[in-house]
Amino acid sequence: MAQDMRTVLQESRVEQAVMDRYAAEAAKIVGENNISANQADLLSACRDYWPANSIWMREGVFPALPQLVAWPKTTAQVSKLLALANQEKIPVTPYGEGSGALGGVVPLRGGVTIDLKLMNKIRVLDERNLLVTVESGLNGALYEEELNRAGYTGGHFPQSLRCSSVGGWLACRAAGQFSTRYGKIEDMAVSLEAVLPDGTVFSGRKVPRTATGPRVDHLLLGSEGTLGIITSATLRIWPLPEKRHLASYTFEKLESGLEAIRLFMRAGTRPAVVRLYDGQETGNHFPELGDKRCALILLIEGNARLVDAEAEVIDDCVRSEGAESAGAEHVEHWLEKRFNIGVASMLFQKGAVLDTIEVTTNWHNAYTTYLAMQDALLGVEGTMLASGHYSHVYPEGAALYMTVVGFPGGDKISYYKKLWQTAMEACHKEGAAFSHHHGVGLHRGLWMTDEHGSGLEVLKKIKDALDPEGIMNPGKLGLEEVQLWQK
Ligand SMILES: Cc1cc2nc3c(=O)[nH]c(=O)nc-3n(C[C@H](O)[C@H](O)[C@H](O)COP(=O)(O)OP(=O)(O)OC[C@H]3O[C@@H](n4cnc5c(N)ncnc54)[C@H](O)[C@@H]3O)c2cc1C
């Protein structure tokens, strides 16, 4: 029985009689076949890609288990499921595809996990206005394929494209690999349809912009399931690009690469892909370039004449910083490999602990934050590698993405916690922001006070107003303490 399985973060569970009553009513709402309390279904909904989950599950223990999984097909069904849960004070965990990197779907207090996968339709493709209205449970790769068939792109390519959902992107403020041209998910989101815990359904206007007060639908962006459930969204789309230009360069120093990017962003160019790797990652991803120089990968796309002009401006900027051209083939190689996510599982199997920590810097601290975080991570006993790259660039700065691999001698969870504590301290000291796109989930909640200051109290007030019974994804976003993880 699932409830006899050992869990490490389960804070509480709902009394079984209450859950049975809920399950009976939920079955009337979504149909008998669309709810389950089977062990396999509870187990598959109990985790995401948070490395702590992988560490525990390899040791035969689980983070926490839901008591029921429900698969609604319509917004009306989501509304009824939530209203009922609210009435019975049953915790609700929204679930997209479970690719979150920080424990966001771990059902700390049991209750019902609402899996959105059956809400997977494109409702309207509005070609004239370049908008698509899509249900939140649609898988990322299927979303993009459907748009491609009609001659468009969604422009959003997280590395997890094939294992994440549109709703998960919106709930976590995700960023895709082509973000410098197309924007992050919040730039694409024109309006959201969402359901509040009391069952209220609301949506925003599908117009380019409004000035009729704060956009309440946009409140759900980045809310990670703590305020309500996003059921659909109207997103911007683009015609498939007429031309694509690939280029790569190498720099003797990482700082020169950063300066080159700052210059071409300042000049107004917006290449879709900009990735600058340190020497270690250059050697790992492009062995033929060695690990003595730092590789810059660029992909420019769109209108052919604009692409040519951008390529020329960018070439001038990077050469002014001493870049050497390395051709298009490294970008082709990256394009081929960019959704491969198997390396982490392989390393976990070999006993390693691996994680990635993405933070946001301005230009003035982009390089020093890298040095400080690398130093901090290498300083934790057991760390074998701490490397980094920059991507998702802006006129005002860039995301810094650190990868760390360790083979700790002792308890892996203690090592994992130490890694993050030291990395977050270094990031804070440098004045960088604690996350660029992976979000908070359970784990990053530990540092939300440092990140937000008094802003966290404002967020808590919004949470209390929209979710007075506290049923939505309890313990996430740092909105309340989670003793079992904090200790
Ligand atoms: C290998 C790998 C690569 C990754 N690469 C990227 C990347 O390039 N860019 C990036 O931004 N992220 C990346 N991520 C992180 C992750 O894929 C994103 O956060 C993604 O947006 C999560 O989507 P999901 O559908 O899997 O959400 P889940 O993991 O199912 O859920 C994430 C959170 O959102 C909530 N949620 C899910 N759906 C809804 C909904 N409809 N309404 C309300 N709340 C909801 C959940 O409760 C949870 O708190 C990566 C993760 C992995 C494992």
Side-chain angles (χ1 to χ4, degrees):
M1 293 289 287
Q3 51 266 53
D4 299 328
M5 291 176 158
R6 202 153 72 79
T7 54
V8 276
L9 292 177
Q10 193 87 58
E11 289 193 335
S12 58
R13 289 171 67 80
V14 179
E15 207 184 305
Q16 199 50 49
V18 177
M19 278 316 293
D20 290 345
R21 199 161 61 222
Y22 182 79
E25 290 304 312
K28 290 183 202 157
I29 298 167
V30 295
E32 287 285 349
N33 290 338
N34 290 333
I35 59 160
S36 173
N38 288 340
Q39 185 170 301
D41 291 322
L42 301 183
L43 285 179
S44 57
C46 85
R47 64 174 295 252
D48 55 13
Y49 275 70
W50 181 30
N53 288 333
S54 302
I55 295 169
W56 286 317
M57 289 176 74
R58 281 184 190 285
E59 292 166 358
V61 292
F62 300 89
L65 292 163
Q67 291 162 275
L68 186 76
V69 183
W71 292 270
K73 276 188 173 161
T74 64
T75 302
Q77 290 180 355
V78 174
S79 165
K80 285 181 189 159
L81 287 174
L82 282 190
L84 196 61
N86 201 39
Q87 206 180 307
E88 298 276 13
K89 301 186 180 23
I90 291 174
V92 174
T93 310
Y95 195 96
E97 295 254 358
S99 73
L102 292 134
V105 299
V106 175
L108 301 169
R109 298 184 193 153
V112 59
T113 286
I114 298 189
D115 186 329
L116 280 308
K117 279 190 199 67
L118 297 184
M119 293 197 63
N120 56 12
K121 283 185 271 319
I122 288 201
R123 288 184 185 164
V124 182
L125 178 62
D126 177 353
E127 299 187 60
R128 183 165 173 84
N129 292 313
L130 283 177
L131 294 173
V132 62
T133 300
V134 54
E135 291 180 346
S136 62
L138 183 59
N139 171 276
L142 298 179
Y143 167 65
E144 180 63 18
E145 279 168 22
E146 203 161 330
L147 289 178
N148 289 172
R149 277 195 292 274
Y152 298 94
T153 176
H156 188 71
F157 306 96
Q159 192 197 9
S160 55
L161 182 76
R162 295 168 179 156
C163 59
S164 60
S165 69
V166 173
W169 298 343
L170 294 156
C172 296
R173 286 176 74 87
Q177 295 157 340
F178 285 40
S179 73
T180 303
R181 170 170 166 79
Y182 297 104
K184 274 54 57 183
I185 197 69
E186 70 275 13
D187 304 312
M188 299 164 181
V190 172
S191 81
L192 267 56
E193 175 192 84
V195 184
L196 293 181
D198 66 0
T200 305
V201 180
F202 70 109
S203 57
R205 301 292 307 274
K206 299 178 181 57
V207 291
R209 186 172 188 272
T210 59
T212 41
R215 283 293 297 242
V216 286
D217 55 335
H218 288 190
L219 255 184
L220 273 284
L221 288 166
S223 62
E224 299 191 24
T226 62
L227 300 180
I229 293 188
I230 301 162
T231 43
S232 83
T234 298
L235 305 176
R236 297 193 165 98
I237 54 171
W238 290 262
L240 283 170
E242 193 178 300
K243 179 168 183 181
R244 191 175 256 191
H245 173 85
L246 312 180
S248 70
Y249 297 88
T250 64
F251 295 87
E252 198 182 328
K253 291 186 182 149
L254 198 55
E255 306 97 290
S256 316
L258 283 171
E259 183 57 10
I261 298 172
R262 190 183 75 82
L263 291 178
F264 68 65
M265 290 304 287
R266 192 182 168 93
T269 63
R270 293 295 178 269
V273 178
V274 181
R275 299 173 75 85
L276 176 67
Y277 300 87
D278 70 2
Q280 173 94 47
E281 293 201 2
T282 300
N284 289 347
H285 294 294
F286 315 103
E288 61 284 7
L289 293 176
D291 59 6
K292 299 281 176 284
R293 292 180 69 86
C294 301
L296 173 65
I297 294 298
L298 294 167
L299 185 154
I300 309 165
E301 67 177 25
N303 173 283
R305 278 183 296 161
L306 294 177
V307 168
D308 291 342
E310 282 198 300
E312 202 181 314
V313 174
I314 290 172
D315 191 67
D316 285 350
C317 292
V318 296
R319 285 184 194 282
S320 75
E321 290 303 313
E324 280 175 15
S325 173
E329 66 270 23
H330 306 297
V331 195
E332 276 156 13
H333 170 78
W334 173 81
L335 279 168
E336 249 171 59
K337 305 275 177 198
R338 68 192 171 122
F339 299 127
N340 289 1
I341 58 171
V343 180
S345 317
M346 258 166 45
L347 283 166
F348 271 111
Q349 267 171 29
K350 291 185 193 299
V353 171
L354 176 142
D355 207 358
T356 57
I357 306 178
E358 27 63 63
V359 302
T360 321
T361 68
N362 293 105
W363 291 120
H364 74 267
N365 60 358
Y367 184 58
T368 52
T369 305
Y370 161 78
L371 291 179
M373 287 184 72
Q374 186 179 50
D375 202 41
L377 292 166
L378 288 172
V380 181
E381 200 180 331
T383 300
M384 304 289 285
L385 175 151
S387 59
H389 67 259
Y390 299 85
S391 51
H392 312 291
V393 307
Y394 308 77
E396 63 272 22
L400 165 63
Y401 191 99
M402 300 298 299
T403 297
V404 55
V405 182
F407 286 88
D411 175 46
K412 287 184 175 152
I413 290 289
S414 307
Y415 167 75
Y416 179 72
K417 280 186 159 178
K418 253 188 236 157
L419 276 183
W420 270 81
Q421 185 58 37
T422 173
M424 289 292 95
E425 275 168 17
C427 165
H428 195 45
K429 230 168 150 180
E430 289 296 323
F434 283 23
S435 174
H436 179 266
H437 55 267
H438 283 170
V440 178
L442 167 62
H443 182 43
R444 258 205 185 103
L446 299 176
W447 299 280
M448 281 288 269
T449 307
D450 290 338
E451 174 73 0
H452 283 278
S454 54
L456 187 58
E457 291 310 311
V458 178
L459 200 53
K460 285 180 183 175
K461 283 181 187 156
I462 294 172
K463 164 78 174 171
D464 289 345
L466 297 185
D467 182 19
E469 302 296 348
I471 62 161
M472 292 307 304
N473 210 359
K476 308 299 163 47
L477 270 192
L479 296 172
E480 50 188 304
E481 289 198 353
V482 178
Q483 289 298 334
L484 290 171
W485 185 239
Q486 252 144 356
K487 72 174 187 229

